[in-house]
Amino acid sequence: MGAYILRRLLLIVPTVLGMLLVSFVVIQFAPGGPVERIIAQVTGQDTSATNRISGGGSDIQQQAQAPQGGDSGLASKYRGAQGLDPEFIKQLEKQFGFDKPAHERFILMVGNYLRFDLGQSYFRDVPVTQLIVEKMPVSISLGLWVTLLSYLISIPLGIRKAVADGSRFDSWTSAVVIVGYAIPGFLFAILLITLFAGGSFWNIFPNRGLYSDDWASLSLMGKVIDYAKHMFLPLIAMSLSAFATLTLLTKNSFLDEIRKQYVVTARMKGLSERRVLYGHVFRNAMLLVIAGFPGAFIGAFFSGSLLIENTFSLDGLGLLGFESVLNRDYPVVFGTLYVFGLMGMIVGLVSDVLYMLIDPRIDFESREV
């Protein structure tokens, strides 16, 4: 097992480099950028980007004006930059690091990332690492609760469906599960807000944030209730697809084990159905489900956080990434991508190790990585 873990850890390095390289190349050809965002703001074409350049708004406007007869060759590189002072644009390029060739910027970024120096946000004026640490608890909280909720519901339901395979209960629940899986989480979130968060019908649950404005003045039980009310709708919306997948996985795992010879032998010995199901089948059938817990958590953490956090105004990594892409805040974009990539590969390794620990018959070490 040690050799397999070492190979997987060594494989992380070229995988992360390839991921960053592809993303970096795509960014070079993407329209817009931080310089263009500032130019659009200065010229009054865009007011959504946060201005972090030193000086007030009027000073920036005066600094940006091109002198009479000035060279506009540099300004013509950027859309909407005609009439701006080339020296002002040079300052912007230097501030954002675009005064260096692309390959030098990539090598510098990789070197910093090896030291886990993710750089400084362009528009928030704080280290990217600090931003990620501040936003991560919200996303981790969502991912963890969604995974636990999915397991608590899906495993009993999947077992019941396997035992009652082909029955009316199995058919109806399968239809509900498939329909639930087909509905995108963010659309279901909008439906929940419309129905239960003051949209058009009832105003039972809040639709913004993780806690109320009077959180500090609440008692311990009041804080628990307030937190539960804020988390209820996002969790329901996020767990819809995970719930469907896990239910069918559990059912199929149990069906596969129930048909094996050792189950027939146990029944012939006179063991009760409950003893056969939970004493013999459960341990083997739950291998994939239990070992897949880290992967399920990281899947909920990644895939659902962006749209759900935006829909419910939850200040987590999903919302941070969304705003960073809109503002062309490349250090935050690459920093979150780097952290997500590392977490995904490490969790994948943990899942494989769990497989080997739970079932010694599985041997990844004898295979090629």
Side-chain angles (χ1 to χ4, degrees):
M1 182 184 296
Y4 173 76
I5 294 176
L6 180 60
R7 291 201 304 269
R8 286 290 298 270
L9 290 175
L10 293 176
L11 188 62
I12 290 177
V13 177
T15 304
V16 172
L17 284 176
M19 176 186 66
L20 290 176
L21 177 60
V22 171
S23 303
F24 187 84
V25 171
V26 170
I27 288 295
Q28 303 311 304
F29 294 99
V35 176
E36 287 89 340
R37 295 288 288 180
I38 295 298
I39 291 174
Q41 185 181 23
V42 168
T43 57
Q45 301 175 24
D46 188 356
T47 59
S48 59
T50 304
N51 188 359
R52 292 295 183 185
I53 302 177
S54 59
S58 60
D59 294 337
I60 296 176
Q61 292 279 356
Q62 295 174 4
Q63 183 184 2
Q65 296 300 319
Q68 295 295 327
D71 182 13
S72 61
L74 180 62
S76 62
K77 288 172 53 180
Y78 301 101
R79 184 176 60 181
Q82 289 77 12
L84 297 182
D85 188 353
E87 290 299 323
F88 172 72
I89 298 178
K90 285 183 179 180
Q91 292 178 14
L92 290 180
E93 289 183 331
K94 184 175 181 180
Q95 177 178 342
F96 295 125
F98 291 106
D99 57 332
K100 302 181 180 65
H103 68 278
E104 291 185 14
R105 286 187 277 122
F106 179 74
I107 294 173
L108 179 62
M109 181 182 71
V110 171
N112 291 333
Y113 279 16
L114 290 177
R115 303 191 303 270
F116 224 81
D117 178 10
L118 305 183
Q120 194 91 352
S121 170
Y122 286 160
F123 299 108
R124 296 172 185 262
D125 202 24
V126 293
V128 176
T129 306
Q130 179 182 331
L131 279 175
I132 293 177
V133 170
E134 289 177 354
K135 310 299 183 182
M136 189 172 287
V138 175
S139 298
I140 289 180
S141 178
L142 284 173
L144 183 61
W145 283 116
V146 165
T147 306
L148 291 176
L149 182 64
S150 300
Y151 270 70
L152 290 175
I153 296 177
S154 299
I155 291 176
L157 180 59
I159 295 174
R160 180 70 179 88
K161 286 173 61 62
V163 173
D165 183 43
S167 66
R168 181 174 296 180
F169 171 82
D170 180 43
S171 300
W172 278 103
T173 52
S174 294
V176 173
V177 165
I178 292 173
V179 170
Y181 183 76
I183 300 176
F186 74 95
L187 287 180
F188 192 61
I190 295 174
L191 175 63
L192 291 176
I193 291 175
T194 303
L195 292 176
F196 304 110
S200 300
F201 295 88
W202 302 281
N203 190 10
I204 302 174
F205 299 99
N207 61 4
R208 299 179 64 87
L210 277 183
Y211 46 82
S212 302
D213 295 335
D214 59 344
W215 167 268
S217 62
L218 297 176
S219 63
L220 178 60
M221 183 56 63
K223 290 181 178 180
V224 172
I225 295 175
D226 184 73
Y227 174 77
K229 290 177 64 177
H230 280 80
M231 289 289 289
F232 184 80
L233 295 185
L235 290 181
I236 296 298
M238 286 185 65
S239 58
L240 196 63
S241 59
F243 160 77
T245 304
L246 189 57
T247 299
L248 295 179
L249 175 62
T250 304
K251 175 192 173 182
N252 293 333
S253 297
F254 267 79
L255 282 178
D256 185 57
E257 292 295 325
I258 287 174
R259 295 164 181 165
K260 291 185 176 179
Q261 186 62 42
Y262 76 90
V263 177
V264 178
T265 303
R267 286 171 174 166
M268 292 177 62
K269 289 181 178 181
L271 297 180
S272 65
E273 190 66 20
R274 184 178 181 85
R275 178 75 179 276
V276 172
L277 189 62
Y278 291 99
H280 294 77
V281 177
F282 185 85
R283 180 175 54 187
N284 296 323
M286 292 306 294
L287 169 64
L288 292 175
V289 179
I290 295 175
F293 182 87
F297 165 70
I298 212 70
F301 181 69
F302 286 155
S303 60
S305 62
L306 173 59
L307 294 174
I308 298 300
E309 286 181 16
N310 277 278
T311 303
F312 290 97
S313 299
L314 300 174
D315 194 14
L317 286 177
L319 185 61
L320 173 66
F322 176 74
E323 293 178 346
S324 301
V325 171
L326 289 183
N327 286 326
R328 304 299 193 269
D329 199 345
Y330 293 153
V332 179
V333 173
F334 285 116
T336 52
L337 178 66
Y338 178 68
V339 172
F340 283 170
L342 283 179
M343 289 180 61
M345 284 180 284
I346 291 174
V347 167
L349 175 59
V350 171
S351 296
D352 288 348
V353 172
L354 280 178
Y355 280 122
M356 291 187 285
L357 292 177
I358 294 175
D359 190 351
R361 296 172 297 177
I362 298 177
D363 183 17
F364 290 115
E365 192 165 356
S366 61
R367 305 177 185 178
E368 294 292 334
V369 178

